[in-house]
Amino acid sequence: MIESGRAPGVREVAAAAGVSRQTVSRVLNDHPSIRPETRDRVIAAMAELNFRPNRAARMLTTARSTTIGVLAASTSSLFGPASSIDAVENAARDAGYFVTVAHTSALDRASVEAALDHLLAQAVEGIVVIAPQQRVQDAMAAVSLSVPSVTLHGAGAAGDDGVFVDQVEGARLATRHLIERGHRRIAHLCGPGDWAEARARRDGFLAEVADHADVTGLVTREGDWTAASGAEIGAELLSERRADDRVTAVFSSNDQMALGVLHAARLAGRRVPEDLAVVGFDDIPEAAFFAPPLTTVRQDFPELGRRCVARLVSLIEGGGADGGGVAFGAPVAPVLVERASA
């Protein structure tokens, strides 16, 4: 009988299943000596009692924490990093791992090392780095870790051994879409230059424009990922010019800045998409409800999380770098989502 107010433990599970406590412990630790019918009986008893294994006790028994650490930049409230953390947590849970997250208070080496120390103090078995700023990547390169790590959110540049969406191809898809609709003066609203993805999206835009001799590509000053910066830069871009010198399309490095461009277009009396076509990047949940709904490039964050965790778990468990059959450097393909804005 379970004492009032106390959660069921191994003793209660053993009694309900008609086995010893040692047998329950062996089932919890996937011991190969347990017969399938015994395992099924113990698992059924656990379900009936709503039993939850004691994580600390299991660590003492197995000498493993089954915990993955996530190092996240202080900007992880943005859609891309936040979605990546969610994807890693979901994939880790499916793989039987816990996740603990440490946010860097700043982007310098001391802050990065402090966040890593916080994770290592919790006995994490591996670390996922979700911090796309160049300063964090430089700091990570100077740190020697005692556990495996995988970088999520690189841009696929030479030497990038992480898991990433093909940012260059995503930007080319967006730009090509505008070109195929007849636009010949296209502006790119850049993200912060310290971000690998922002640089890759700018490079993809310029590469696609370069393939079309009759297309002029204009690169604006950098935004900061917010709608406010998109509105400000959009207003500058749409200020009165000669009709033959006007930009007719904008590819924004993210959806939030694209929202700002839509706002600037309305204030400038430019109809979208009749006078100005706009394409974003990310496909945030609100993008389908912009006015008009936003054409954008979707990143597959769940797939990104699955690949990242598969790679890290393989490294943790001694399976080598080819975790889950996914090789380092294999990009996740982006998808263009066509809506009314372009």
Side-chain angles (χ1 to χ4, degrees), residues 46-314:
M46 290 177 182
E48 181 181 352
L49 294 172
N50 198 26
F51 170 77
R52 295 289 182 268
N54 184 303
R55 185 180 171 197
R58 190 170 183 180
M59 280 183 64
L60 290 173
T61 303
T62 65
R64 291 194 57 191
S65 70
T66 57
T67 299
I68 290 172
V70 174
L71 173 67
S74 55
T75 51
S76 56
S77 59
L78 293 172
F79 177 75
S83 298
S84 299
I85 292 173
D86 286 346
V88 168
E89 287 182 324
N90 291 333
R93 184 167 56 249
D94 290 344
Y97 279 76
F98 301 94
V99 170
T100 182
V101 181
H103 295 268
T104 58
S105 58
L107 303 181
D108 57 274
R109 179 173 173 177
S111 296
V112 169
E113 290 182 347
L116 291 172
D117 287 344
H118 177 75
L119 293 173
L120 294 172
Q122 299 178 67
V124 298
E125 297 189 40
I127 293 175
V128 176
V129 181
I130 304 178
Q133 299 89 338
Q134 188 62 49
R135 284 169 289 173
V136 178
Q137 295 172 14
D138 292 343
M140 286 297 302
V143 173
S144 178
L145 287 176
S146 58
V147 297
S149 66
V150 173
T151 300
L152 188 151
H153 259 319
D160 184 353
D161 61 355
V163 180
F164 57 93
V165 171
D166 192 337
Q167 305 290 333
V168 170
E169 177 58 23
R172 295 194 72 143
L173 285 173
T175 309
R176 190 178 308 138
H177 177 78
L178 293 169
I179 292 172
E180 288 174 349
R181 273 151 182 72
H183 297 283
R184 291 300 176 265
R185 288 187 63 81
I186 305 171
H188 174 50
L189 203 169
C190 303
D194 190 40
W195 288 59
E197 288 97 330
R199 296 195 302 272
R201 292 169 196 174
R202 178 200 62 203
D203 291 347
F205 168 76
L206 292 173
E208 188 64 31
V209 167
D211 285 348
H212 299 82
D214 60 336
V215 174
T216 299
L218 307 174
V219 176
T220 72
R221 65 180 174 89
E222 296 172 6
D224 63 4
W225 298 129
T226 66
S229 70
E232 181 182 345
I233 297 171
E236 295 171 1
L237 194 63
L238 301 176
S239 58
E240 280 302 318
R241 302 167 183 239
R242 299 192 315 272
D244 60 352
D245 193 36
R246 281 186 174 182
V247 165
T248 64
V250 174
F251 163 45
S252 173
S253 197
N254 80 332
D255 290 348
Q256 290 290 351
M257 292 194 298
L259 174 60
V261 173
L262 293 177
H263 177 72
R266 182 179 62 81
L267 294 180
R270 303 279 288 274
R271 298 169 301 165
V272 178
E274 293 85 356
D275 303 323
L276 182 75
V278 180
V279 176
F281 205 108
D282 278 338
D283 194 26
I284 64 175
E286 298 84 3
F289 302 96
F290 287 2
L294 185 67
T295 294
T296 185
V297 176
R298 177 180 296 159
Q299 303 190 75
D300 189 345
F301 290 108
E303 177 63 15
L304 200 62
R306 282 191 292 270
R307 293 193 188 190
C308 181
V309 170
R311 172 56 45 74
L312 188 58
V313 168
S314 181

Side-chain angles (χ1 to χ4, degrees), residues 24-34 39 43 58 62:
V24 174
S25 178
R26 287 176 174 172
V27 170
L28 287 171
N29 294 312
D30 296 323
H31 198 282
S33 67
I34 300 296
R39 185 186 307 277
I43 290 174
R58 190 170 183 180
T62 65

